[in-house]
Amino acid sequence: MPLMISHERVEIELGDRSYPILIGSGLLNDPMSFAKVPDSASALIVTNTTVAPLYAATLSKVISSRFRSVRLLELPDGEAHKDWQTLNLIFDALLSHGCDRKTVLFALGGGVVGDMTGFAAASYMRGVPFVQVPTTLLAQVDSSVGGKTAINHPLGKNMIGAFYQPQLVLCDLATLNTLPPRELSAGLAEIIKYGPIYDMDFLAWIETNIDALVAREPAALAHAVKRSCEIKAAVVGQDERETGLRAILNFGHTFGHAIESGLGYGEWLHGEAVGCGMVMAAHLSERLGGIDAAFVQRLTALIQRAGLPVVAPALGVERYLELMRIDKKSEAGEIRFVVLDKPGSAIMRGAPDAMVREVLAQCCAA
Ligand code: NAD
Ligand code: GLY
């Protein structure tokens, strides 16, 4: 039996929907990485025009012995294309190639490709198996794990989607070497997130290692991806469909999603909006009494050192409120925020309107 390339493994424990996350450098070149992929006659690799020239041939070759046919679909690149029209290209490809309900979809790319391919897998013939092969830092530490799939609507981010778990998540750390620096920083935002909401030791580790992470030191990246996946696995394992605890993973996202849709999808990267959104959520947490000003400053400084913006765009207070009301966490028109009730712990709650307005006035550019 050939040995598999050296890697770490994190399990997502969800009964009969459990699956492993494999983390290592060079996994994409190793056929053994895909040993657990279900047998089928056909596979469709969904990727985009940026990632295809980098990694599609490698993936196609490595899985070719497992399938009679391996087809490739290149979507247009970018958050602005995370929509119905682009999703439909996946269905067009599946139907025009006569793909059956055992066809395995491979999502090769960042969170945009992963979320759309997952949604297509959830709905094509009412569900076909899919594999996440995340190639951005953000996708390796967050979006490929946990089964949230979605597309955007012009009125709201990720508003249309499904919970649908992959069969396998394969994080090849070597793919991060080709990532533009701005995209690396965007991924660091979601890594930082896990500290204040769940694990203060991890926050301290990130503070010590932030320069190594920005410099893409392999050992630092490997630890950050693994620990992030462990935390996400622990949360998702307790609350797969976000009836409670899982909402903490949206720390910074209520403000962040408003920035993304308010500016137009793709203007700020998702991770940039989340980074700045965490600064805003930290200020709100301070006003609600969960953390002190020193902790807000500590978090802000780390987000800045990760190369992320910490001043929110001037969309106007009323526009922010309008956008945040469309958030999935809103109930009966009340905006609900994930805030820190103490360092290392988060809850979801409403906040007085006047307080939210003060935070917006404080955090937005003049
Ligand atoms: P992305 O998918 O747009 O990828 C960022 C850019 O990097 C793209 O231009 C992409 O083509 C390029 N790229 C990807 N891999 C590359 C590589 N190895 N080398 C060079 N370029 C590469 O953005 P993202 O930050 O990966 O994901 C953001 C999306 O993820 C958002 O739509 C967000 O809503 C979603 N998301 C989903 C979840 C979830 O739980 N499902 C969680 C967090 C974020
Ligand atoms: N990214 C938030 C979640 O997966 O729940």
Side-chain angles (χ1 to χ4, degrees):
M1 179 100 169
L3 284 178
M4 202 180 149
I5 208 162
S6 145
H7 66 280
E8 302 275 1
R9 186 181 170 111
V10 177
E11 299 291 335
I12 301 283
E13 306 281 2
L14 290 170
D16 59 2
R17 282 165 290 103
S18 299
Y19 54 94
I21 306 166
L22 307 184
I23 303 162
S25 194
L27 286 176
L28 200 48
N29 297 287
D30 184 352
M32 290 300 293
S33 308
F34 299 91
K36 287 264 185 296
V37 174
D39 287 328
S40 166
S42 62
L44 178 70
I45 299 172
V46 182
T47 183
N48 70 24
T49 49
T50 304
V51 178
L54 297 169
Y55 303 112
T58 306
L59 178 58
S60 184
K61 187 169 169 226
V62 83
I63 62 172
S64 61
S65 62
R66 297 286 310 277
F67 303 94
R68 230 180 306 141
S69 98
V70 176
R71 294 194 165 89
L72 182 69
L73 174 65
E74 289 183 33
L75 303 177
D77 186 5
E79 186 74 36
H81 296 287
K82 192 180 171 185
D83 59 12
W84 274 118
Q85 285 75 17
T86 310
L87 178 71
N88 217 30
L89 297 177
I90 308 178
F91 299 130
D92 289 347
L94 288 164
L95 285 164
S96 63
H97 295 313
C99 292
D100 62 23
R101 58 169 31 146
K102 284 190 159 182
T103 300
V104 182
L105 299 194
F106 287 80
L108 174 69
V112 171
V113 164
D115 280 14
M116 280 198 293
T117 307
F119 189 27
S123 39
Y124 184 66
M125 294 196 177
R126 302 197 182 92
V128 293
F130 88 112
V131 173
Q132 289 273 16
V133 187
T135 60
T136 64
L137 184 59
L138 185 139
Q140 294 190 355
V141 300
D142 193 355
S143 65
S144 66
V145 174
K148 277 189 181 177
T149 75
I151 54 169
N152 299 327
H153 186 280
L155 293 179
K157 169 96 182 141
N158 290 338
M159 277 293 159
I160 298 151
F163 287 98
Y164 192 68
Q165 302 296 341
Q167 307 284 320
L168 165 72
V169 179
L170 191 101
C171 301
D172 186 338
L173 300 168
T175 61
L176 303 179
N177 291 331
T178 53
L179 207 57
R182 198 177 156 200
E183 300 291 351
L184 190 90
S185 291
L188 291 175
E190 300 279 16
I191 292 174
I192 291 169
K193 172 186 81 178
Y194 292 113
I197 63 165
Y198 196 87
D199 183 346
M200 288 297 287
D201 289 344
F202 187 43
L203 182 66
W205 181 90
I206 301 168
E207 288 174 318
T208 305
N209 291 279
I210 189 69
D211 296 336
L213 290 167
V214 170
R216 303 176 203 221
E217 284 182 17
L221 281 175
H223 178 74
V225 172
K226 179 167 182 250
R227 185 65 196 134
S228 298
C229 288
E230 283 171 349
I231 294 171
K232 186 145 188 189
V235 172
V236 170
Q238 293 172 70
D239 180 23
E240 180 186 8
R241 296 179 78 92
E242 199 169 309
T243 54
L245 176 70
R246 185 166 177 168
I248 67 170
L249 299 175
N250 290 314
F251 180 56
H253 285 56
T254 308
F255 292 107
H257 283 171
I259 293 173
E260 281 188 89
S261 50
L263 287 176
Y265 297 121
E267 191 62 34
W268 276 33
L269 303 180
H270 175 72
E272 292 172 336
V274 166
C276 189
M278 286 194 290
V279 173
M280 299 164 90
H283 280 286
L284 184 60
S285 306
E286 182 198 352
R287 284 172 192 271
L288 289 166
I291 54 174
D292 60 18
F295 192 72
V296 178
Q297 190 39 48
R298 180 179 166 189
L299 199 54
T300 306
L302 180 59
I303 291 166
Q304 218 160 7
R305 284 178 69 201
L308 294 158
V310 293
V311 178
L315 301 176
V317 169
E318 297 308 324
R319 180 74 178 129
Y320 266 104
L321 293 172
E322 181 187 21
L323 289 163
M324 291 195 296
R325 273 188 210 104
I326 303 172
D327 190 78
K328 287 190 288 305
K329 294 182 292 305
S330 294
E331 274 186 17
E334 188 202 15
I335 307 168
R336 297 189 319 146
F337 297 90
V338 178
V339 291
L340 305 176
D341 56 337
K342 61 181 183 193
S345 168
I347 53 167
M348 186 166 63
R349 55 164 292 176
D353 187 65
M355 194 182 275
V356 177
R357 287 170 183 274
E358 283 165 14
V359 168
L360 289 168
Q362 179 182 9
C363 294
C364 292

